[in-house]
């Protein structure tokens, strides 16, 4: 079967029975997405993953479409992942990074995006160090916005690829216990996963130093545990977050050594989880700080697989969001 | 020139309520209050079914001049004030340059006298350049006409400097208005710390940032015996600290702003920068505490903290957006809607908090209607319901989270010194 034909079967897949298409203009976060939409993206990504595994990794589905990656923060995997996803699907793509753009000339974010829109972009993929940046842009432009990480808020494509990885390995997400360990406060990956996994029926348990847990986190539906051990206990999935070294410099932690002692994931702690536990990490990993090398490279680790799935998820999203382009009115100046 | 406001319901700010009476104004002075005064008048304002109240007095606003005329200036700011029913406003000195010396005080007074629509009372800075290092020439500013002192926008972080400022200001009878914010506790926060900040991934500002500083100033006021006025109270904790201070006789007064009892941090959903303020919008629990504080008298007055900003300063990332709400033109309506219509305050009590008590705290004329007093009068329709539309604001600042919200109670006329400056909902 040709790659292009495959996509026609995407929507009759698995849990999603009806033929529906992602109807939103933007993908800003999983908090505001419903379960059906998530399922549709995951189903589509399965086909995309199949395409990725072929000798000829190319489909024509984004032919004539223009995807611009606007990155205000350094990124290797997310940016490359979006770029390759666009290319595998025959889109034109371009990358802009903050240092080389008019940002340094003082242009506002909204103006920059309007300019990109006028050059014919169909989708702007935006990564920004401030929470809500993608949301603010989305209100002001008609082009589709995909949030590739906004400050501490969300990283929806990471959340989706994590859920994809879990579903692929476990067959389902519903009813699983997923432990998220580390700096929850600053983590957009954690937020996207908490929203997404909860919607998909998983039980999310989080643990980390109390200075790195946001206030009233329990209201999100996540269970806040007092120790890593408690969170990992009988978990089906353990997700370890990257610890930014600057957290220690800002006084939120006494030392990285103590962090790895008390909150780092190691072989002993991982043993508390279920035998067939899935170990995940959004990368890049700090070996010996939040996770030990033996388990990061061990049999439970799916860290490398997450990277592959990331491309599939981004292909799926780009495909779904550009498939039925309509004229949308941006709600200007809310 | 004789102006008669006929058949209105009058609240005189001195405890008197007179239904369906006339007020006769000769030039700029109230010369009679009674019945059947219309036949002598050159102009009659029919106030049937309306409330005639002392002109509103705002103890805390930002007119932005000099330095930030693109946000607001004295002309647009006082026009906005007039449309909001204010006849006197006290403007904060966080301008560029800061209003921190006698010449600047005189400049504001002269400019406002020549082009302002309402009376403007400048507030001088507590420290030179508002930098929090050296106290200003308070005596000279007092002589030039400063009504109070404040570094509003920034706290006086140095506790000893605050103590010295209190002691120095005391000899001139100048009131210090304290912007209570412990910057170290703010720690880069941009909205109230709570579930909403967690949900939106925005850095939160703990209520402790306000409460700790309020407690410090209460203690400094107590130990020096010098009054302190706490600006824009927004937390349950601050209300509690002030309530207890007052009960043991500390000379503390305080204000809140309409947005602290009309909106919560949930309004920031979807990163609405028009709901970004400092102090930040809090939670329902704080809103309830603010209302309770207004009811039991802990919170003396309502001030607008009118903080106009340019659209370009709000159409940016939430972290970068300017803090503040354009407040003159919604203040009365929000107060009426959320306090009087809900039974928390009587209309007389609201008038006291928006006019009589602010005048007393600042030591300026106004806040009362009576024979021989200047005719600073506001006429409001408390039955009128309408939708807030920022496009109709006279202020340059359209930054309000209340755009599109239904409110009750509308200013219809504003009379300053006998002159009708806001006439049947149109600025003159």
């Amino acid at each position: 079967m040709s790659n292009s034909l495959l996509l026609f079967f995407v929507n009759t897949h698995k849990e999603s029975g009806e033929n529906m298409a992602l109807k939103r203009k933007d993908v800003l976060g999983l908090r505001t997405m419903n379960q059906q939409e998530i399922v549709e993206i995951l189903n589509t990504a399965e086909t995309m993953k199949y395409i990725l595994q072929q000798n000829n990794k190319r489909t024509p589905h984004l032919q004539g479409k223009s995807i611009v990656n606007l990155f205000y923060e350094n990124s290797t995997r997310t940016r490359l992942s979006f770029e390759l996803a666009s290319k595998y699907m025959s889109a034109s793509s371009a990358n802009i990074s903050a240092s080389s753009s008019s940002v340094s000339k003082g242009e506002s974010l909204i103006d920059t995006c309007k300019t990109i829109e006028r050059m014919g972009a169909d989708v702007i993929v935006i990564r920004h160090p401030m929470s809500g940046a993608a949301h603010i842009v989305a209100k002001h432009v008609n082009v589709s916005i995909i949030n590739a990480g906004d400050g501490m808020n969300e990283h929806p494509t990471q959340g989706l690829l994590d859920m994809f990885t879990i579903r692929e390995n476990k067959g389902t997400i519903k009813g699983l216990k997923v432990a998220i360990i580390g700096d929850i406060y600053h983590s957009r990956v954690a937020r996207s996963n908490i929203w997404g996994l909860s919607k998909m029926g998983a039980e999310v348990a989080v643990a980390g130093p109390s200075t790195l847990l946001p206030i009233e986190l329990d209201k999100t539906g996540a269970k806040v545990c007092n120790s890593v051990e408690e969170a990992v206990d009988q978990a089906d999935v353990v997700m370890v977050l990257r610890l930014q070294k600057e957290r220690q410099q800002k006084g939120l932690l006494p030392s990285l050594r103590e962090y790895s002692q008390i909150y780092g994931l190691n072989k002993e702690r991982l043993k508390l989880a279920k035998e067939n536990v899935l170990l995940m990490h959004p990368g890049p990993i700090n070996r010996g700080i939040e996770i030990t090398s033996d388990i990061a490279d061990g049999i439970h680790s799916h860290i490398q697989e997450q990277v592959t799935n990331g491309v599939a998820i981004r292909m799926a999203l780009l495909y779904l969001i550009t498939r039925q382009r309509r004229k949308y009115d941006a709600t200007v100046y809310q | 020139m004789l102006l008669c406001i006929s058949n209105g319901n009058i609240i005189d700010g001195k405890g008197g309520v007179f239904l369906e009476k006339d007020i006769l104004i000769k030039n700029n002075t109230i010369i009679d209050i009674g019945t059947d005064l219309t036949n002598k008048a050159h102009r009659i304002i029919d106030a049937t079914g309306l409330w005639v109240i002392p002109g509103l007095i705002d103890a805390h606003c930002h007119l932005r001049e000099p330095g930030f005329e693109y946000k607001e200036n004295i002309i647009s700011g006082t026009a906005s004030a007039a449309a909001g029913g204010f006849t006197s406003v006290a403007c904060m000195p966080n301008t560029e340059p800061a209003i921190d010396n006698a010449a600047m005080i005189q400049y504001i007074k002269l400019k406002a006298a020549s082009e302002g629509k309402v009376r403007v009372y400048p507030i001088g800075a507590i420290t030179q350049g508002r930098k929090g290092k050296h106290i200003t020439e308070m005596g000279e500013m007092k002589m030039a006409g400063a009504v109070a002192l404040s570094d509003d926008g920034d706290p006086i972080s140095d506790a000893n400097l605050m103590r010295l400022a209190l002691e120095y200001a005391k000899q001139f009878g100048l009131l210090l208005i304290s912007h209570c914010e412990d910057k170290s506790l703010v720690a880069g926060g941009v909205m109230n710390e709570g579930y909403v900040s967690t949900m939106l991934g925005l850095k939160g500002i703990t209520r402790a940032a306000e409460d700790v500083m309020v407690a410090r100033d209460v203690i400094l006021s107590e130990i020096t015996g010098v009054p302190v006025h706490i600006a824009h109270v927004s937390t349950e904790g601050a209300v509690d600290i002030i309530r207890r201070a007052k009960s043991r006789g500390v000379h503390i007064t305080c204000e809140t702003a309409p947005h602290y009892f009309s909106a919560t941090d949930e309004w920031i959903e979807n990163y609405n920068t028009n709901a970004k303020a400092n102090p930040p919008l809090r939670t329902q629990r704080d809103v309830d505490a603010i209302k309770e504080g207004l009811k039991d008298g802990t919170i003396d007055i309502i001030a607008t903290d009118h903080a106009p900003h340019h659209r370009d300063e709000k159409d940016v990332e939430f972290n970068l957006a300017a803090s503040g709400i354009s407040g003159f033109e919604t203040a009365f309506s929000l107060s009426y809607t959320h306090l009087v219509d809900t039974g928390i305050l009587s209309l007389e009590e609201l008038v006291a908090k928006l006019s009589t008590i602010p005048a007393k705290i600042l030591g300026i004329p106004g806040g009362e209607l009576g024979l021989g007093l200047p005719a600073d009068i506001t006429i409001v329709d408390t039955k009128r319901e309408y939708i807030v539309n920022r496009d109709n604001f006279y202020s340059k600042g359209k930054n309000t989270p209340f755009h599109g919200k239904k409110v009750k109670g509308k200013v219809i006329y504003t009379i300053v010194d006998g002159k009708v400056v806001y006439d049947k909902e149109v600025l003159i």
Side-chain angles (χ1 to χ4, degrees):
Chain A
M1 199 187 294
S2 82
N3 290 342
S4 55
L5 264 177
L6 269 169
L7 287 169
F8 291 114
F9 299 99
V10 161
N11 292 312
T12 52
H13 211 275
K14 270 196 177 171
E15 294 157 61
S16 108
E18 355 166 4
N19 182 13
M20 51 183 182
L22 199 71
K23 288 204 170 63
R24 51 180 67 238
K25 172 172 101 67
D26 311 299
V27 176
L28 302 177
L30 301 187
R31 181 169 66 87
T32 48
M33 204 174 258
N34 63 38
Q35 195 197 43
Q36 276 193 322
E37 289 175 294
I38 294 171
V39 168
E40 188 191 17
I41 296 163
L42 299 185
N43 289 350
T44 309
E46 282 191 10
T47 312
M48 297 304 176
K49 187 164 183 185
Y50 179 84
I51 292 169
L52 273 179
Q53 287 161 342
Q54 303 310 302
N55 198 20
N56 175 9
K57 288 188 276 286
R58 190 165 282 266
T59 78
H61 287 90
L62 293 187
Q63 206 159 39
K65 300 283 191 248
S66 166
I67 316 293
V68 174
N69 297 314
L70 176 58
F71 276 61
Y72 287 83
E73 247 184 14
N74 290 335
S75 159
T76 309
R77 70 191 64 210
T78 304
R79 199 173 97 171
L80 191 58
S81 181
F82 268 108
E83 193 176 354
L84 289 175
S86 312
K87 294 205 159 122
Y88 293 154
M89 300 186 82
S90 311
S92 314
S93 72
N95 293 311
I96 310 167
S97 56
S99 54
S100 65
S101 74
S102 52
V103 177
S104 45
K105 296 177 200 156
E107 186 173 62
S108 83
L109 176 64
I110 292 166
D111 285 342
T112 301
C113 290
K114 283 182 173 169
T115 305
I116 296 169
E117 178 177 35
R118 281 308 180 111
M119 291 187 186
D122 296 286
V123 180
I124 300 176
V125 176
I126 181 166
R127 157 74 60 98
H128 197 286
M130 293 176 193
S131 302
H135 305 65
I136 281 163
V137 169
K139 285 188 237 180
H140 287 84
V141 297
N142 292 312
V143 60
S144 289
I145 301 293
I146 294 179
N147 182 2
D150 64 319
M152 318 189 305
N153 179 40
E154 281 219 47
H155 191 352
T157 56
Q158 179 72 42
L160 288 164
L161 77 87
D162 290 341
M163 287 193 283
F164 182 88
T165 308
I166 294 169
R167 198 179 77 163
E168 195 178 42
N169 283 278
K170 300 284 182 190
T172 180
I173 294 170
K174 195 172 179 181
L176 297 182
K177 180 181 177 183
V178 181
I180 305 179
I181 309 299
D183 178 3
I184 311 289
Y185 186 94
H186 297 92
S187 177
R188 51 194 175 211
V189 176
R191 279 184 182 73
S192 279
N193 269 298
I194 289 170
W195 301 124
L197 288 165
S198 307
K199 279 175 193 187
M200 297 299 288
E203 179 203 334
V204 181
V206 303
S210 34
T211 47
L212 297 177
L213 291 176
I215 197 166
E216 298 183 38
L217 184 60
D218 51 327
K219 285 196 192 168
T220 59
K223 185 183 172 215
V224 181
C225 300
N226 292 316
S227 66
V228 175
E229 286 78 3
E230 186 190 335
V232 172
D233 186 48
Q234 291 304 305
D236 298 282
V237 180
V238 176
M239 219 177 255
V240 183
L241 301 172
R242 177 178 167 78
L243 183 79
Q244 303 281 347
K245 288 173 183 162
E246 70 192 60
R247 306 299 171 223
Q248 190 241 328
Q249 289 148 17
K250 285 194 174 165
L252 295 165
L253 294 169
S255 70
L256 297 178
R257 197 187 62 79
E258 176 154 304
Y259 181 87
S260 66
Q261 284 281 327
I262 300 174
Y263 303 99
L265 201 73
N266 53 31
K267 198 184 280 176
E268 289 68 38
R269 290 192 175 118
L270 192 62
K271 274 189 189 141
L272 299 169
K274 287 195 181 144
E275 208 176 327
N276 57 347
V277 64
L278 212 61
L279 177 63
M280 297 167 66
H281 189 298
I285 61 177
N286 291 308
R287 290 174 181 269
I289 295 175
E290 71 263 7
I291 190 167
T292 55
S293 285
D294 55 346
I295 57 168
D297 304 327
I299 49 162
H300 296 294
S301 173
H302 288 70
I303 298 171
Q304 297 307 319
E305 195 183 318
Q306 284 174 274
V307 178
T308 310
N309 293 343
V311 181
I313 280 288
R314 280 145 194 148
M315 286 170 75
L317 264 187
L318 289 171
Y319 167 68
L320 290 171
I321 211 157
T322 55
R323 190 171 56 164
Q324 289 186 335
R325 276 296 287 150
R326 291 187 207 98
K327 281 283 175 198
Y328 296 94
D329 293 322
T331 317
V332 174
Y333 195 58
Q334 279 191 332
Chain B
M1 170 75 183
L2 282 168
L3 169 68
C4 182
I5 301 164
S6 107
N7 205 33
N9 303 314
I10 300 164
I11 293 171
D12 71 357
K14 296 182 282 191
V17 177
F18 312 100
L19 299 180
E20 296 172 7
K21 289 278 186 294
D22 296 351
I23 294 184
L24 194 64
I25 297 153
K26 185 177 181 186
N27 298 325
N28 57 359
T29 309
I30 297 170
I31 57 164
D32 206 352
I33 299 178
T35 42
D36 299 326
L37 304 175
T38 51
N39 52 353
K40 302 172 201 163
H42 300 108
R43 184 185 168 188
I44 297 165
I45 290 174
D46 180 7
T48 304
L50 306 179
W51 285 94
V52 180
I53 61 179
L56 306 184
I57 295 174
D58 189 11
H60 186 149
C61 71
H62 301 272
L63 297 180
R64 303 297 190 203
E65 189 172 341
F68 303 104
E69 290 84 354
Y70 67 95
K71 296 176 195 256
E72 192 86 290
N73 58 21
I74 286 171
I75 296 176
S76 64
T78 56
S80 176
F86 292 92
T87 54
S88 295
V89 300
C91 61
M92 284 294 174
N94 59 337
T95 50
E96 184 55 48
I99 303 170
D100 65 352
N101 60 67
M104 287 293 293
I105 295 283
Q106 277 161 354
Y107 171 79
I108 298 296
K109 283 189 65 109
L110 285 170
K111 198 109 195 288
S114 71
E115 52 189 47
K117 296 280 180 191
V118 305
R119 300 177 201 267
V120 174
Y121 294 96
I123 295 169
I126 296 172
T127 65
Q128 294 172 29
R130 297 175 58 257
K131 294 192 192 315
K133 298 277 185 232
H134 303 283
I135 57 172
T136 50
E137 293 160 344
M138 298 177 181
E140 286 193 1
M141 285 201 288
K142 167 80 177 180
M143 287 187 279
V147 291
L149 300 170
S150 180
D151 270 9
D152 184 62
D154 287 300
I156 306 282
S157 294
D158 183 328
N160 187 47
L161 185 74
M162 184 64 179
R163 180 206 168 154
L164 295 174
L166 281 169
E167 287 174 339
Y168 193 79
K170 184 185 184 182
Q171 54 195 333
F172 308 109
L174 273 170
L175 179 67
L176 261 66
I177 301 175
S178 182
H179 168 111
C180 289
E181 180 184 17
D182 184 320
K183 287 279 191 189
S184 68
L185 282 166
V186 171
V190 293
M191 68 171 292
N192 182 55
E193 182 177 88
Y195 175 61
V196 183
S197 67
T198 292
M199 186 172 74
L200 295 175
L202 288 170
K203 279 214 170 137
I205 303 172
T206 168
R207 292 171 186 75
E210 179 168 335
D211 300 352
V212 163
M213 205 60 130
V214 170
R216 183 201 76 174
D217 286 349
V218 162
I219 291 164
L220 289 175
S221 171
E222 195 164 16
I223 216 144
T224 57
V226 184
V228 171
H229 179 78
I230 309 291
H232 42 55
V233 170
S234 74
T235 64
E236 182 186 30
V239 173
D240 183 55
I241 292 163
I242 294 164
R243 182 180 289 125
R244 283 188 282 158
K246 283 186 164 186
S247 74
R248 62 176 192 271
V250 185
H251 295 295
I252 289 282
T253 54
C254 72
E255 71 194 30
T256 191
H259 40 274
Y260 299 119
F261 56 75
S262 310
T264 65
D265 57 358
E266 289 175 16
W267 290 41
I268 292 168
E269 167 71 52
N270 208 22
Y271 305 91
N272 179 5
T273 54
N274 281 323
K276 184 178 179 185
N278 186 24
L281 296 179
R282 306 288 186 179
T283 62
Q284 191 56 45
R285 188 176 163 149
D286 298 289
V287 166
D288 293 342
I290 295 288
K291 287 178 175 172
E292 188 53 41
L294 283 161
K295 191 180 170 73
D296 72 10
T298 301
I299 301 177
D300 301 86
I301 62 171
I302 298 163
T304 64
D305 197 0
H306 175 73
H309 288 294
H310 195 276
R311 189 166 67 95
D312 294 347
E313 295 166 313
K314 288 287 191 179
D315 279 349
V316 292
E317 296 87 323
F318 193 89
N319 288 13
L320 303 179
S323 293
I325 291 171
S326 182
F328 280 144
E329 290 166 77
T330 51
F332 179 80
S333 302
L334 290 172
S335 301
Y336 189 86
T337 306
H338 294 279
L339 302 176
V340 180
D341 209 35
T342 53
I344 291 160
L345 297 181
S346 66
L347 183 59
E348 294 97 292
E349 287 168 329
L350 179 64
V351 168
K353 289 191 194 294
L354 277 170
S355 178
T356 316
I357 307 174
K360 288 204 173 83
I361 288 174
L362 293 176
I364 62 174
E368 293 179 354
L369 300 179
L371 301 188
L373 293 177
D376 283 6
I377 300 171
T378 298
I379 304 175
V380 296
D381 182 350
T382 55
K383 293 185 209 72
R384 173 81 170 277
E385 291 182 287
Y386 70 103
I387 308 282
V388 174
N389 183 353
R390 63 176 167 224
D391 301 327
N392 297 338
F393 281 6
Y394 288 94
S395 171
K396 290 186 186 182
K398 314 297 180 194
N399 48 308
T400 175
F402 300 106
H403 177 70
K405 300 286 177 193
K406 192 175 175 186
V407 288
K408 193 174 180 188
K410 176 104 182 55
V411 174
I412 310 292
Y413 295 92
T414 307
I415 299 165
V416 180
D417 209 25
K419 187 168 174 271
V420 185
V421 294
Y422 188 62
D423 194 341
K424 217 164 183 176
E425 302 180 53
V426 177
L427 194 81
I428 301 301

